[in-house]
Amino acid sequence: MLIKIAKHSFFLTSVAFVFSLYMVTRPLVTLDSYWVLPTTLSLLNEGNINLDEFSAYGVGNSYAAIQIDNHFYNYFPYGISFLIIPIVAILNIFIPESFFFQYHGQIEKFCASLLILSSFFFLYNLFSFYISKKKSAFLVVVMGLCTPLFTSGSRALWQHPGSVLLLSTSLFLLVSLMNRNVRAVPLLGITLALSYVVRPTNAIPFLLISLFVFYFFQEQKWKYIAFSVATLILFSIVNYINFGDFLPPYYRSSRLTFDWDVFKIAFLGNMFSPNRGLFVWSPVLLVFILSIFVAKKERPIILLSLLIIIFHFIAISLFPHWWGGHSVGPRFTTDIIPFFGLVLCLVWKRFQSNRIFFVSFLMLVVISFAVQFSAVISKKTQLWNIRGSDINEKPERVWDWNHPQFYPF
């Protein structure tokens, strides 16, 4: 046991360091996720997902709640409420119900951080298929502190921390399958289906990874289909019982629109704007460009990851509120960080003996961390969304280089 712990000591130390930074930095208080914790409490106490028992806490007047057949529910996807059941069950032993409302920001940050830390376990083992354990641990730190996992994923209980956990698990299971571990097939089908339950944009990795499995692992495809479809059927049954429909209201495609003039601004803004652009907030991810040089045998998984990333950018750019409301940085890109992580891992494997690459990579890591850390230590970061004018009324503010959100001082 001690030998195994010592073998992974660098990873464990790295995770402890990241967790300590998560805990000492500010939460991102949002009312979007206000009913995530109460839904979990309802599951634990009453065995259902309705919020009727929380009328004293304003559920009837909340934009984040919806009323269907005289019952109140969280308007946003309820999947993450299931994922945090073990955490909330333990907390519920020591703190009263009122604390979950009074201190929901801090409790959400704690739960979200634990979900992100859980994803590190799968990312670490995923990276270890290709590079050394020390390098894998370092890359996990880079993912945790130099990307939206820091400024969004670990800050609140939007769907992103649960999405990141399930997609990280799915990537690990997929690569395990590529290494002839056929036992990963049922779990891969279940995990990808659950990722869609947690966040509907995960229909993209679900579909593309499914096609990947069908093409490369034809002997396993029926087992994969059986477990993924069974999970989706269970999801549909729960929805029909509670909402009278096979999908929750949040999942309706009418939430997406296409206007070319808006789309092109959103697509570029999600990548390069100073206040919502992923590659401005995390320039270390630009290393993905070097993926064209990876070994031939690794190109299928690289192509799969890049396709998921591209289609995700397209999908989030179709949202009318593509800037993510009162977010901090590129929140909507949080879900695809595991795929960037795999791409960076394979690029590092290809160039690990190249000193110029390593120095350049470290410089980008430092810049990315500086941006992310600057954004999580000040309350003014979130207040940027309403400073002068509300970002929801003037989304063109995402292009304001004079007062960037990541530098609130």
Side-chain angles (χ1 to χ4, degrees):
M1 182 67 178
L2 291 176
I3 294 176
K4 286 186 177 181
I5 293 176
K7 190 177 179 181
H8 303 287
S9 59
F10 193 75
F11 168 68
L12 296 173
T13 304
S14 300
V15 169
F17 171 68
V18 173
F19 183 65
S20 65
L21 278 184
Y22 282 1
M23 289 298 97
V24 300
T25 46
R26 294 186 57 81
L28 206 168
V29 180
T30 171
L31 295 180
D32 285 5
S33 56
Y34 190 74
W35 300 107
V36 171
L37 289 168
T39 300
T40 305
L41 288 172
S42 185
L43 282 166
L44 289 168
N45 298 330
E46 299 193 356
N48 60 53
I49 61 172
N50 73 57
L51 301 166
D52 299 345
E53 65 268 38
F54 301 113
S55 58
Y57 296 100
V59 67
N61 300 314
S62 172
Y63 75 86
I66 188 171
Q67 186 175 11
I68 298 176
D69 294 334
N70 296 318
H71 294 291
F72 290 99
Y73 300 91
N74 185 2
Y75 169 68
F76 296 94
Y78 57 78
I80 194 169
S81 292
F82 282 85
L83 291 180
I84 61 172
I85 283 177
I87 307 172
V88 175
I90 295 173
L91 292 176
N92 201 28
I93 297 173
F94 301 101
I95 62 177
E97 178 184 281
S98 60
F99 275 43
F100 286 95
F101 292 90
Q102 188 175 356
Y103 302 104
H104 79 96
Q106 294 291 345
I107 296 175
E108 281 192 33
K109 184 186 75 169
F110 178 72
C111 293
S113 295
L114 288 181
L115 290 179
I116 295 298
L117 258 64
S118 299
S119 73
F120 290 168
F121 170 80
F122 295 100
L123 290 177
Y124 171 69
N125 284 282
L126 170 67
F127 300 156
S128 296
F129 278 114
Y130 303 103
I131 56 180
S132 70
K133 286 180 168 48
K134 283 190 176 181
K135 289 177 180 177
S136 297
F138 178 74
L139 190 54
V140 164
V141 173
V142 172
M143 293 298 102
L145 297 180
C146 302
T147 73
L149 296 190
F150 196 3
T151 47
S152 292
S154 65
R155 300 296 92 187
L157 284 175
W158 279 302
Q159 304 105 55
H160 308 299
S163 175
V164 168
L165 171 58
L166 291 169
L167 292 177
S168 299
T169 307
S170 298
L171 271 177
F172 167 72
L173 291 170
L174 179 61
V175 175
S176 296
L177 178 58
M178 293 170 65
N179 283 271
R180 301 292 182 260
N181 181 7
V182 295
R183 291 178 299 175
V185 172
L187 287 175
L188 178 60
I190 294 171
T191 306
L192 280 170
L194 288 176
S195 74
Y196 173 71
V197 173
V198 168
R199 187 160 177 81
T201 51
N202 289 334
I204 294 169
F206 188 9
L207 174 61
L208 292 178
I209 293 176
S210 296
L211 293 175
F212 189 90
V213 171
F214 297 163
Y215 183 80
F216 288 101
F217 306 99
Q218 295 186 18
E219 294 181 357
Q220 303 296 327
K221 68 179 181 181
W222 292 113
K223 186 186 296 184
Y224 172 86
I225 290 172
F227 280 90
S228 57
V229 169
T231 305
L232 292 177
I233 289 174
L234 181 60
F235 176 52
S236 299
I237 292 173
V238 172
N239 294 330
Y240 194 80
I241 292 172
N242 287 278
F243 309 121
D245 202 346
F246 292 114
L247 286 176
Y250 186 86
Y251 285 66
R252 291 169 185 163
S253 59
S254 58
R255 297 182 63 247
L256 301 178
T257 60
F258 183 76
D259 181 316
W260 172 249
D261 292 330
V262 174
F263 174 78
K264 63 184 180 182
I265 294 174
F267 190 73
L268 291 173
N270 280 316
M271 290 191 287
F272 300 114
S273 69
N275 298 302
R276 291 296 186 266
L278 178 62
F279 298 121
V280 173
W281 283 64
S282 299
V284 68
L285 299 181
L286 287 169
V287 171
F288 87 91
I289 296 171
L290 297 177
S291 62
I292 59 175
F293 298 109
V294 301
K296 187 176 181 179
K297 66 177 182 178
E298 287 152 359
R299 288 176 187 172
I301 193 71
I302 284 282
L303 179 60
L304 173 66
S305 296
L306 292 179
L307 283 174
I308 290 171
I309 289 169
I310 292 168
F311 279 109
H312 184 88
F313 271 112
I314 292 173
I316 62 175
S317 300
L318 292 173
F319 284 118
H321 60 295
W322 59 267
W323 56 91
H326 292 175
S327 303
V328 172
R331 175 171 70 88
F332 280 171
T333 63
T334 306
D335 310 279
I336 52 174
I337 296 305
F339 300 98
F340 270 110
L342 177 57
V343 173
L344 263 61
C345 174
L346 292 171
V347 169
W348 195 356
K349 177 186 176 184
R350 170 64 178 81
F351 292 98
Q352 58 186 333
S353 60
N354 189 310
R355 185 169 298 179
I356 295 176
F357 166 81
F358 186 68
V359 172
S360 302
F361 182 69
L362 283 182
M363 289 176 61
L364 291 173
V365 167
V366 171
I367 295 170
S368 301
F369 174 72
V371 172
Q372 299 288 326
F373 188 70
S374 173
V376 295
I377 60 175
S378 174
K379 185 178 180 179
K380 294 180 181 179
T381 303
Q382 195 170 6
L383 293 177
W384 177 92
N385 290 299
I386 57 174
R387 187 175 64 193
S389 57
D390 195 310
I391 185 68
N392 290 328
E393 297 174 1
K394 292 188 175 181
E396 62 270 19
R397 288 184 57 219
V398 301
W399 294 98
D400 183 6
W401 281 99
N402 293 321
H403 302 94
Q405 189 180 24
F406 59 78
Y407 188 73
F409 305 105

